[in-house]
Amino acid sequence: MPFSVRIGGGTLAALPPREGLPIPHALPDVFGSARKAALTPRAFARASSTRVRETAPLRLVVIPCLSDDDHVLRSRVLGAAQARTALAAACCTPHDEEPGGSACW
């Protein structure tokens, strides 16, 4: 899970209201807006009635590419090198303000 979980106004508006989540209309609902709510992984887990685990076996990684169009959804399997590159682009450390990656695979 990234250092911060960033959620935009449009995504928040699509979720049922939950304690711990920001109010959707407080954020822009324009797709791709840079202004988002940032929650810690534990705060996001509490708000979504899930839990954070320190370790877990890795069995599957889904790397989404979101767009604001009517293209048909598709998926593909990445090779090991492509998967490592995509994961590295999406990861951040406590020294990073936000994840660095934005590429779609």
Side-chain angles (χ1 to χ4, degrees), residues 1 18 40-53:
M1 171 134 336
R18 288 191 173 246
T40 66
R42 291 199 188 282
F44 180 76
R46 276 192 307 276
S48 59
S49 300
T50 59
R51 62 185 178 165
V52 175
R53 292 183 56 175

Side-chain angles (χ1 to χ4, degrees), residues 3-70:
F3 185 62
S4 66
V5 178
R6 299 182 70 230
I7 304 173
T11 301
L12 283 170
L15 297 173
R18 288 191 173 246
E19 185 177 337
L21 287 179
I23 300 167
H25 67 269
L27 295 166
D29 63 357
V30 177
F31 183 82
S33 171
R35 195 166 144 238
K36 300 181 185 297
L39 301 168
T40 66
R42 291 199 188 282
F44 180 76
R46 276 192 307 276
S48 59
S49 300
T50 59
R51 62 185 178 165
V52 175
R53 292 183 56 175
E54 299 302 322
T55 62
L58 180 62
R59 293 195 175 103
L60 174 70
V61 175
V62 176
I63 302 170
C65 177
L66 306 176
S67 63
D68 190 20
D69 56 33
D70 60 357

